[in-house]
Amino acid sequence: MNEELEILQGAVAAVVYQNYDNGYAVLRLNCGGGVTVTVVGTIPMPVVGERLMVTGKWSNHSNFGRQFEAEFLERLLPQTALEIQSYLSSRAIKGIGPVMAARIVEYFGEQTLLVLEREPEKLALVPGISKEKARLFGEEFRRQAGMRQLMEFFALHQLPTELGVRTYKLYGEQTVELLYDDPYLLMDEGLDAPFHAVDRFAIELGVAADDPRRIEAGVLFELSYNLQGGHTFLPRAKLAAATAQLLSVELEAAETGITRLREGERLVCQNLADIDVVYLPQIHEAEVGSALHLLKMAQWPHPEPENLDRLMAKVESESAVRYSDQQRSAIRSAASTGVLLITGGPGTGKTTIVNGILSLLGHMQLKCVLAAPTGRAAKRLTEVTGEEASTIHRLLEAGIDPNTGRMVFSRDADQPLKADAVIVDEMSMVDVQLLYSLLQAVPLNKRLILVGDPDQLPPVGPGFPFGDMLRSNMLPTVRLTDIFRQARESLIVMNAHRINSGELPELRRVDRDFFFMRRNSEEALTQLICDLCSTRLPQNMGIPADQIQVLSPTRKGPTGTIYLNKLLQKVLNPPAPTKKERQHGDFSFREGDRVMQIRNNYDILWRKTDGSAVGAGVFNGDIGSITAIDPKAETVTVVFDDREAEYDFSQLTELELAYAMTVHKSQGSEYRAVILAAWNGSPYLLSRSVLYTAVTRARELLIIAGREEVVVTMTNNAKRSRRYSGLKLRLQGKGGA
């Protein structure tokens, strides 16, 4: 193998493979004279027809033979008319396909790209191209050129290429210039840049270790990073120590950085329960604002209707339900209460009470709206109430501010919700920022009914508002403890309550809806899960594979969701000549796959499958199936319930296979059958709350597969990670402003 660096120059003849996450690509490069070579390396956004000057060295791959490993590259515009036509025909510019490319090149020849860049209006001289199309083609060409240059800049500094796309959308053509001035701009909200990569980049550009920009970026990173752990604030001493350790600087430098940020109003410092604490401003506003709004709503007078007894009798008669005293009291409370919390485990009648409240408020001529944190939870709420429910984001009409790229809600204090009462289910999933956004859209004189189970997993985001509200004892609350007779017949329900009280679930019974299937090796466990999903449950119990959800506490490892998804895809949706695929990282998306959206995206357009409506926004946790993959248009079509959305290949980082998912991701959903993989893992994940949440996801059948010792460990592990949150104290009037 020749270790000397060489330079190759040529036109891209084919893109064999490209990874949109890290920019890695495999190309066939036509070097002229009939010589075509394989080039591999970080080559972001390659396009057939473009010319590259690649510096690297030769190697021999055990499977693919001799190939050229690129270490540096320079992009050169296609030169000949044939190369330009090939470049445009590869759909490098949206809207230009092979036919139109041929027409454009026939008209402008080797001047085509110059026209696109400097005088795109001339494209309207080509038959079939309007002035508006010509303008759009020019804009797209300049955008693509600018983005490719930025991708190369990011690749050179080992920054994620997908970060380059987000940064370009925010800062445009001035991105590189701005980053030279302040590399820590990459830490801005919405860019999700990894701090260590940005910090290394900044140091490469000459930023000193004790540079104030670096210290301040480190402080803000520590606070932002800890939001992921659920903390709304950090004690100041802990924040300073963590920042000093992160940056390898003196504690005094970190303290000074905190002070500068406070003086610049980029942090809020406060004394809470005799501890000096530090908040990000938006989180402080959300926590303080939520507490004030909830207390004011709870104090707002709602006189009890004079005919309440008659209305209750009517509700009970129409529902054909004989309410318990506890249920009847809860329903009556909704008539005269501004804020009502309803909590209880499975089988305690939460749904019955919600239906009763809906009926009562309806008889009082009050308009109610229903919401839940996720699409799956909203769908389930619709099914059990018969009334239309939406996600909280959709209820608040979420969107993206085109100027900042940040999420905004159309519904707020200036444009409140047009409802007399708002009922929210699965409140344990709602973090403090989403709660505050909801409260801003609910006027103080309206009603708010919050329903949830605080023993399930806490929100992914900061705070634990529902738990804090309950523990504060400052808001009217109905705590349901009685398990109804029909629920007692379910071993799922009874075992859930056993787990929650610290007792081992009954694993020996095989006559009801809860089964334990022991396996002593990882291979045997994964084979069992595949067999249950593909043949045993569909054939023996009549439960189709698409109504079975595999859950695991963890993503990684031999029984984690990543590996299980690959195995389940093979047995449930194997490759076939009739199914198109799209390679993405280490696996392929395939037509027919079950997939999940893993982050909120307010820009993705969707249309109802019956054509009745269009809209935008697909949200974290939404589950759908791939119905079409178009390699030419580079799109993947996914149907989420009754909505059809189209993804560019570059957006596939937002999707995951969903044959198996983590217990955390399943929260708020209910499935006909659940299979839980019980195997070794992190003590943080093998907890009672994870086991309890997994069990309560099953409606008809729950199978725990794996090792009994793991079930014992999870049941006994009642530890919850401590969250720094001030909402409880603020509701109790102990938190200040």
Side-chain angles (χ1 to χ4, degrees):
M1 181 174 64
N2 186 359
E3 292 293 338
E4 295 296 323
L5 291 180
E6 295 185 27
I7 297 176
L8 294 182
Q9 185 172 322
V12 177
V15 179
V16 179
Y17 170 78
Q18 62 175 314
N19 186 316
Y20 285 96
D21 290 347
N22 57 26
Y24 182 82
V26 180
L27 312 175
R28 295 289 290 165
L29 194 70
N30 184 350
C31 299
V35 177
T36 301
V37 301
T38 299
V39 178
V40 301
T42 303
I43 308 171
M45 301 174 65
V47 177
V48 172
E50 69 174 335
R51 296 187 63 82
L52 301 178
M53 181 181 292
V54 186
T55 303
K57 59 188 177 183
W58 292 99
S59 68
N60 282 296
H61 192 281
S62 57
N63 293 327
F64 304 112
R66 195 165 187 254
Q67 54 190 25
F68 192 78
E69 296 181 354
E71 295 189 11
F72 309 100
L73 78 136
E74 181 181 351
R75 279 191 156 93
L76 308 170
L77 288 176
Q79 296 175 346
T80 68
L82 187 61
E83 287 176 352
I84 294 170
Q85 184 173 329
S86 177
Y87 170 75
L88 294 178
S89 296
S90 67
R91 300 184 186 273
I93 299 174
K94 280 191 176 180
I96 299 182
V99 174
M100 188 172 290
R103 281 201 229 122
I104 294 172
V105 174
E106 183 181 2
Y107 199 98
F108 295 106
E110 294 179 358
Q111 299 300 308
T112 297
L113 298 184
L114 202 60
V115 170
L116 269 166
E117 181 182 8
R118 299 180 183 177
E119 301 176 286
E121 66 277 1
K122 286 187 175 180
L123 293 173
L125 297 172
V126 178
I129 300 180
S130 64
K131 290 183 179 179
E132 177 63 15
K133 272 188 179 180
R135 182 185 64 80
L136 292 174
F137 289 160
E139 287 180 0
E140 177 67 8
F141 177 75
R142 288 192 295 272
R143 187 186 73 83
Q144 289 279 0
M147 194 176 293
R148 281 196 178 83
Q149 290 173 2
L150 183 61
M151 296 298 98
E152 291 169 20
F153 178 76
F154 271 46
L156 179 64
H157 291 283
Q158 297 178 302
L159 293 169
T161 55
E162 63 172 355
L163 173 62
V165 176
R166 295 195 295 270
T167 309
Y168 189 87
K169 286 181 179 178
L170 198 58
Y171 298 120
E173 296 176 0
Q174 295 183 326
T175 300
V176 173
E177 182 181 340
L178 290 170
L179 291 180
Y180 269 113
D181 184 55
D182 184 3
Y184 293 100
L185 284 176
L186 290 172
M187 300 304 301
D188 282 0
E189 182 184 353
L191 292 179
D192 301 322
F195 177 79
H196 292 290
V198 175
D199 195 41
R200 185 189 63 244
F201 167 60
I203 291 170
E204 286 176 4
L205 296 187
V207 173
D210 60 351
D211 188 298
R213 295 172 298 176
R214 183 171 186 257
I215 304 293
E216 291 169 15
V219 171
L220 294 173
F221 166 73
E222 283 291 346
L223 279 174
S224 299
Y225 177 78
N226 278 279
L227 294 179
Q228 301 171 32
H231 305 299
T232 62
F233 66 82
L234 285 181
R236 178 163 181 159
K238 182 169 282 193
L239 173 61
T243 303
Q245 183 178 13
L246 172 75
L247 303 178
S248 298
V249 297
E250 296 296 325
L251 186 63
E252 183 181 354
E255 279 284 1
T256 303
I258 293 172
T259 300
R260 278 197 307 269
L261 288 165
R262 176 182 58 78
E263 291 171 349
E265 298 184 349
R266 297 173 70 191
L267 291 180
V268 175
C269 297
Q270 190 178 13
N271 187 275
L272 193 64
D274 295 325
I275 299 174
D276 290 329
V277 301
V278 184
Y279 285 84
L280 291 170
Q282 67 271 26
I283 305 299
H284 181 262
E285 180 187 6
E287 194 173 89
V288 172
S290 294
L292 291 174
H293 199 101
L294 285 166
L295 291 172
K296 288 179 181 178
M297 284 193 75
Q299 293 160 6
W300 197 277
H302 292 278
E304 184 178 285
E306 294 180 1
N307 60 343
L308 182 57
D309 289 336
R310 184 171 61 81
L311 291 176
M312 279 299 303
K314 195 172 184 180
V315 167
E316 200 157 357
S317 172
E318 290 175 352
S319 66
V321 174
R322 186 172 182 80
Y323 297 119
S324 68
D325 291 343
Q326 194 178 43
Q327 288 178 316
R328 191 175 293 107
S329 174
I331 296 169
R332 291 177 67 99
S333 296
S336 56
T337 305
V339 177
L340 180 63
L341 311 181
I342 300 173
T343 180
T348 55
K350 295 192 297 294
T351 298
T352 301
I353 290 176
V354 169
N355 279 321
I357 290 173
L358 279 171
S359 178
L360 175 62
L361 297 183
H363 286 304
M364 292 171 62
Q365 305 299 308
L366 298 177
K367 180 184 176 183
C368 300
V369 294
L370 300 172
T374 67
R376 300 288 291 185
K379 183 181 179 183
R380 186 158 65 96
L381 187 57
T382 298
E383 291 169 351
V384 299
T385 63
E387 302 289 337
E388 183 67 27
S390 70
T391 63
I392 298 173
H393 288 85
R394 209 175 300 284
L395 180 69
L396 300 179
E397 299 175 17
I400 290 291
D401 184 330
N403 297 318
T404 65
R406 296 174 182 172
M407 179 184 67
V408 292
F409 294 109
S410 296
R411 293 293 176 183
D412 54 19
D414 296 325
Q415 291 193 4
L417 294 168
K418 296 178 180 178
D420 300 299
V422 177
I423 300 176
V424 183
D425 196 13
E426 296 289 354
M427 264 303 295
S428 64
M429 299 178 66
V430 177
D431 64 41
V432 72
Q433 288 177 291
L434 185 56
L435 172 66
Y436 183 52
S437 296
L438 174 67
L439 291 173
Q440 286 179 293
V442 182
L444 295 173
N445 63 342
K446 304 302 181 183
R447 290 169 168 82
L448 183 65
I449 295 122
L450 306 177
V451 186
D453 182 350
D455 295 314
Q456 290 188 22
L457 292 166
V460 174
F464 192 6
F466 194 56
D468 285 347
M469 287 183 233
L470 293 169
R471 287 190 293 272
S472 74
N473 295 316
M474 296 299 294
L475 302 170
T477 302
V478 175
R479 300 176 190 271
L480 303 172
T481 55
D482 296 335
I483 306 173
F484 287 88
R485 182 181 58 79
Q486 61 269 35
R488 288 182 179 275
E489 297 174 2
S490 166
L491 204 53
I492 293 174
V493 171
M494 298 311 296
N495 273 335
H497 284 276
R498 288 173 66 90
I499 292 165
N500 203 28
S501 62
E503 300 177 48
L504 290 176
E506 175 58 67
L507 301 180
R508 301 299 176 210
R509 297 184 64 169
V510 293
D511 60 334
R512 290 161 80 176
D513 54 4
F514 187 112
F515 299 90
F516 174 74
M517 303 181 75
R518 184 175 184 86
R519 291 297 183 271
N520 295 319
S521 71
E522 296 157 349
E523 294 78 11
L525 173 56
T526 54
Q527 185 60 54
L528 171 64
I529 291 172
C530 289
D531 291 344
L532 287 169
C533 292
S534 61
T535 55
R536 294 174 65 169
L537 294 185
Q539 292 177 9
N540 299 336
M541 301 194 71
I543 303 177
D546 63 0
Q547 295 180 29
I548 303 167
Q549 185 60 57
V550 176
L551 300 180
S552 174
T554 181
R555 283 176 52 82
K556 298 179 180 179
T559 61
T561 58
I562 295 173
Y563 184 62
L564 285 172
N565 268 316
K566 291 181 181 179
L567 294 180
L568 289 166
Q569 184 190 44
K570 286 180 182 177
V571 297
L572 298 178
N573 189 32
T578 56
K579 297 177 186 175
K580 295 187 181 70
E581 296 187 12
R582 174 63 190 180
Q583 183 73 25
H584 182 73
D586 295 331
F587 65 93
S588 291
F589 284 118
R590 186 173 298 142
E591 289 177 341
D593 275 337
R594 185 193 308 176
V595 293
M596 174 172 55
Q597 176 77 14
I598 60 171
R599 62 171 64 98
N600 293 336
N601 188 322
Y602 307 92
D603 290 335
I604 293 179
L605 299 177
W606 54 262
R607 57 181 175 272
K608 287 289 187 83
T609 50
D610 62 4
S612 62
V614 296
V618 182
F619 303 109
N620 186 9
D622 284 355
I623 304 289
S625 60
I626 295 176
T627 57
I629 296 176
D630 188 336
K632 289 186 177 179
E634 296 192 345
T635 59
V636 173
T637 302
V638 181
V639 172
F640 298 95
D641 294 323
D642 61 346
R643 293 171 295 129
E644 182 179 83
E646 195 171 81
Y647 290 73
D648 290 332
F649 282 174
S650 62
Q651 295 174 309
L652 292 182
T653 52
E654 303 192 1
L655 292 175
E656 281 185 356
L657 293 176
Y659 301 105
M661 69 175 69
T662 62
V663 178
H664 284 78
K665 283 290 188 182
S666 73
Q667 208 172 348
S669 301
E670 186 179 74
Y671 310 96
R672 186 175 172 188
V674 167
I675 301 169
L676 174 65
W679 201 254
N680 301 337
S682 163
Y684 171 74
L685 296 172
L686 299 184
S687 68
R688 183 184 300 173
S689 58
V690 169
L691 179 59
Y692 175 76
T693 301
V695 170
T696 54
R697 298 310 91 207
R699 184 171 68 247
E700 292 182 21
L701 177 67
L702 188 286
I703 295 175
I704 298 180
R707 300 173 65 233
E708 188 172 357
E709 304 92 299
V710 174
V711 179
V712 173
T713 298
M714 296 179 80
T715 305
N716 291 335
N717 181 10
K719 291 181 180 178
R720 285 177 176 261
S721 58
R722 180 187 177 189
R723 292 189 169 206
Y724 290 115
S725 168
L727 183 60
K728 172 189 166 186
L729 291 172
R730 297 185 193 285
L731 287 169
Q732 294 172 333
K734 302 175 183 177

